Amino acid sequence: MTSALLSSDAPAASTPASTFAEIGLPDALQRAVADLGFETPSAIQAQAIPALLDGRDIVGVAQTGTGKTAAFGLPLLAAVDPSLRAVQAVVLTPTRELAMQVADAISSFAAQIPGLTVVPVYGGSPFLPQQRALQHGAQVVVGTPGRVIDHLERRTLKMDEVRFLVLDEADEMLRMGFAEDVENVLRRAPERRQVALFSATMPPAIRRVAEQHLVDPVEITVARQSSTVTSVRQTYAVVPFRHKVGALSRVLAVSDADAAIVFVRTRGAAEEVGSALVEKGISAAYISGDVAQGEREKIVDRLRSGALDVLVATDVAARGLDVDRIGLVVNFDVPREPETYVHRIGRTGRAGREGEALSFVTPSEQSRLRQIERTTRVQLEQITIPTPADVSGHRVTKLLDRIPERTEAGRLDLYRETVAVHLAQNPGTDPADLLATVLALAVGDEGPGARDEMDAELERARLAASRDDRGARPDRGDRPERGERRRTNTHIAGGPARWRVAVGHRDGVQPGALVGALTGEGGLTGKDVGKIDIFGSFSLVDIPGGLTPDALDRLGRARVAGRPLRIRMDSGPRSDGPARAGHHASRPTHGPSRGRS
Ligand code: AMP
């Protein structure tokens, strides 16, 4: 599947730079990014790096996942003199977790620069080790505004030699009440310094900071706040309030995700849901705004290492959380603000992985769902909550998968004897029946019972929602049947379905090659294929009549220009709609004028 980086490709106006050498990155940094596996600069990097290397200030409107850390981290290192043992660059971040991550990333970019030290400083952690690290001559400091100010006031941090300042997630810093501290740091920095300001949104307060403290900044925008991450499949299920915990545990039981985050609105709900999951034997924990920093950090580390699989969190507590293992986000409550929804689902589908975001809506909350769909311009796909049979089936499959290894391990005599005795005592028992019963018990299936009531209610709510839907959303196609899972989200905007393939200019692909693959492998005719837009690392193709599952299956194995096609329905904003126009990423090439154009 595609990486989130793909949603923001190279700039529209100029030819996108295709290598880090072409954007003028010094050799040592080129080697470091190559070692990290970065092949081509992302959109924000292609635009920000040359401007910053040129000594300009920049304002970057970009979210996490666009590669913004390298966009400022690499030029920052180019500006620092490693032989001078004084702080020359300061990066401000809203949270300590982000400070640590950014410090880590910058250290990895500095792998080929001997003598260069990066120190993270943040509150809630002892002062002295940070002070010592600073005294040892660190050149780069990454910290939260409050703690940076503390160090400045104690004179354990000096700004005299600072030539590069970064405000990362500036909107978050302001929202968290750091406005004064940020201003303070900016005022203390020498006048001859460069500033890079990054923010996911551009509210007036941020504009004011930019106007006051930046000099003729280059403005770079790569993604809109409300455009949703394309590698995340977005689904919803109608769940009456009292069945939410039950539904959640079933969803978690059948999920293939390595780890999941469950978002709740309140502290109380975090505790309640977290505890309920633990009681059901799920490896879960909860965090809310009032969990101490140290404790929060430990929990996040456990989630990252795999010691914990499910984290229940409030929005505040999950701020800045960046864990690659998260393959599933569950919105236990539908967020009131579409922006919150976008932030929440951005916790999954990271580092090029696939993610799923499932929202629970009560029958009365469906208008909120519509609002999210209108803002994000993505239509969420309704799914069915797994039944007890689905859960048991999933567990049995996992159990059966372990048979060869367990058989191989041996020491089964005890069980063989038990079976023999049981069969002798119960003549006429069919061994297949015996095995089936043992399996049912092993996966915790106690037979039909009270749970059926929950299923009946879930089904009633689902059907009612589907009926409402047909009236409210006439452009929507047939819904998937129970158990059937569509892999894509559909656009709300009218017009034919667009499909996304994972080959683009980067791969030297031409419209003819795409049409060739679609007709040759997918069995389409030339008439079935409409407009084709080729972008840096992917292409969009209109297929007005859609694709049959069979064609999709065949195309799933197809390759173009030596790369897998990986066709899927495009879940991003339409290329000709306002949302995609917002990321100055696309360099559309119009295919042969067939169909719409
Ligand atoms: P960021 O937006 O800075 O949090 O970066 C998101 C992820 O993309 C991180 O895991 C980076 O290591 C990765 N990344 C950044 N730039 C590139 C690039 N040019 N090519 C591949 N991966 C990248």
Side-chain angles (χ1 to χ4, degrees):
M1 177 65 100
T2 49
S3 128
L5 290 173
L6 297 186
S7 62
S8 50
D9 225 43
S14 57
T15 307
S18 56
T19 65
F20 283 101
E22 278 168 33
I23 57 172
L25 201 66
D27 284 349
L29 295 172
Q30 278 184 43
R31 287 198 300 276
V33 291
D35 285 348
L36 290 171
F38 296 6
E39 287 169 10
T40 49
S42 71
I44 187 88
Q45 291 160 3
Q47 297 172 82
I49 292 175
L52 287 170
L53 289 176
D54 209 25
R56 299 285 304 268
D57 283 357
I58 69 160
V59 170
V61 184
Q63 290 171 317
T64 312
T66 52
K68 69 180 162 70
T69 316
F72 65 75
L74 294 167
L76 172 154
L77 289 170
V80 166
D81 173 1
S83 65
L84 175 63
R85 304 204 71 76
V87 175
Q88 298 160 58
V90 173
V91 181
L92 296 182
T93 67
T95 61
R96 74 191 238 152
E97 173 148 300
L98 190 61
M100 287 191 280
Q101 270 165 30
V102 170
D104 256 10
I106 297 180
S107 300
S108 67
F109 306 148
Q112 309 271 347
I113 311 178
L116 197 131
T117 315
V118 183
V119 170
V121 300
Y122 38 75
S125 185
F127 220 84
L128 213 57
Q130 297 180 358
Q131 183 177 333
R132 283 208 199 98
L134 290 169
Q135 275 163 352
H136 275 99
Q139 292 93 345
V140 181
V141 169
V142 185
T144 48
R147 184 52 71 101
V148 167
I149 294 284
D150 285 349
H151 280 288
L152 284 171
E153 282 173 354
R154 294 186 190 202
R155 312 236 357 112
T156 43
L157 168 62
K158 300 200 183 72
M159 300 274 282
D160 322 354
E161 298 289 340
V162 168
R163 51 185 83 163
F164 206 103
L165 262 176
V166 180
L167 312 182
D168 194 13
E169 303 202 353
D171 52 352
E172 274 304 298
M173 288 202 278
L174 263 49
R175 220 170 296 155
M176 291 173 75
F178 285 132
E180 215 174 290
D181 290 341
V182 171
E183 294 263 341
N184 204 338
V185 174
L186 283 163
R187 269 199 305 274
R188 286 171 188 245
E191 220 163 279
R192 282 174 58 83
R193 46 85 207 278
Q194 234 182 311
V195 185
L197 182 158
F198 285 88
S199 195
T201 56
M202 260 301 137
I206 303 281
R207 291 231 165 266
R208 270 199 302 280
V209 172
E211 276 160 24
Q212 271 174 20
H213 298 280
L214 276 64
V215 180
D216 186 23
V218 179
E219 291 212 16
I220 300 164
T221 302
V222 293
R224 277 163 53 102
Q225 161 74 3
S226 289
S227 70
T228 35
V229 190
T230 50
S231 53
V232 179
R233 172 181 178 235
Q234 299 170 57
T235 56
Y236 76 97
V238 185
V239 183
F241 186 80
R242 67 181 167 289
H243 293 310
K244 279 189 179 180
V245 170
L248 175 63
S249 43
R250 288 192 196 170
V251 165
L252 294 172
V254 304
S255 172
D256 290 323
D258 290 337
I261 287 207
V262 179
F263 278 102
V264 291
R265 230 176 276 140
T266 64
R267 235 183 295 161
E271 186 176 345
E272 216 170 284
V273 176
S275 308
L277 293 180
V278 171
E279 260 169 41
K280 286 176 184 283
I282 293 169
S283 154
Y286 67 89
I287 50 170
S288 60
D290 59 356
V291 168
Q293 265 297 354
E295 184 59 20
R296 175 187 190 271
E297 210 168 282
K298 271 192 218 138
I299 293 174
V300 174
D301 277 349
R302 283 173 57 214
L303 189 68
R304 194 169 282 131
S305 70
L308 186 72
D309 290 336
V310 181
L311 181 65
V312 184
T314 57
D315 293 298
V316 175
R319 235 174 226 166
L321 197 134
D322 186 7
V323 177
D324 292 347
R325 288 180 70 237
I326 296 169
L328 173 69
V329 164
V330 179
N331 290 314
F332 194 79
D333 303 305
V334 196
R336 291 203 177 93
E337 309 282 335
E339 262 66 33
T340 307
Y341 174 84
V342 176
H343 276 292
R344 285 180 173 189
I345 74 165
R347 302 292 132 226
T348 183
R350 304 183 76 80
R353 301 186 184 202
E354 259 186 69
E356 176 169 351
L358 166 63
S359 301
F360 284 174
V361 282
T362 64
S364 61
E365 274 175 342
Q366 296 194 54
S367 60
R368 255 191 227 158
L369 195 72
R370 301 286 119 74
Q371 201 191 346
I372 288 170
E373 290 185 324
R374 275 196 299 274
T375 314
T376 59
R377 302 188 77 241
V378 169
Q379 189 167 320
L380 274 56
E381 165 198 340
Q382 190 183 16
I383 62 151
T384 314
I385 296 296
T387 60
D390 294 333
V391 173
S392 301
H394 189 85
R395 288 184 180 150
V396 166
T397 308
K398 284 195 148 178
L399 199 65
L400 294 179
D401 282 349
R402 289 167 54 202
I403 286 180
E405 203 185 329
R406 181 64 193 86
T407 308
E408 181 78 8
R411 206 175 70 194
L412 292 168
D413 295 348
L414 169 66
Y415 307 100
R416 277 199 201 96
E417 277 166 28
T418 312
V419 172
V421 170
H422 183 90
L423 289 175
Q425 286 173 348
N426 299 277
T429 302
D430 179 353
D433 282 347
L434 176 61
L435 183 57
T437 313
V438 171
L439 274 179
L441 287 170
V443 300
D445 178 355
E446 299 288 341
R451 274 156 164 199
D452 293 349
E453 175 50 26
M454 168 169 155
D455 287 297
E457 273 195 56
L458 286 173
E459 187 59 10
R460 273 198 296 277
R462 187 182 78 90
L463 289 175
S466 301
R467 267 196 302 277
D468 281 0
D469 232 50
R470 276 196 288 275
R473 302 196 281 187
D475 58 332
R476 181 154 189 178
D478 288 335
R479 303 206 152 254
E481 286 307 309
R482 170 184 284 271
E484 183 190 335
R485 299 191 136 220
R486 276 205 303 224
R487 296 294 321 165
T488 48
N489 295 104
T490 316
H491 289 293
I492 295 174
R498 299 217 87 185
W499 295 78
R500 183 182 172 109
V501 293
V503 289
H505 284 305
R506 185 185 63 185
D507 315 300
V509 72
Q510 298 289 328
L514 283 177
V515 176
L518 293 166
T519 52
E521 307 274 340
L524 303 180
T525 69
K527 278 208 298 286
D528 297 328
V529 184
K531 186 178 153 202
I532 295 178
D533 288 334
I534 299 183
F535 298 83
S537 46
F538 66 98
S539 304
L540 298 175
V541 183
D542 276 353
I543 304 174
L547 286 173
T548 61
D550 207 29
L552 204 52
D553 190 46
R554 282 196 305 271
L555 285 169
R557 292 188 293 271
R559 294 175 84 85
V560 169
R563 293 178 72 94
L565 200 58
R566 290 203 239 139
I567 191 162
R568 61 190 173 85
M569 201 177 272
D570 179 41
S571 54
R574 288 189 64 86
S575 62
D576 48 355
R580 202 186 284 283
H583 61 81
H584 299 214
S586 38
R587 206 160 55 96
T589 298
H590 296 278
S593 58
R594 104 175 65 72
R596 295 163 10 100
S597 73

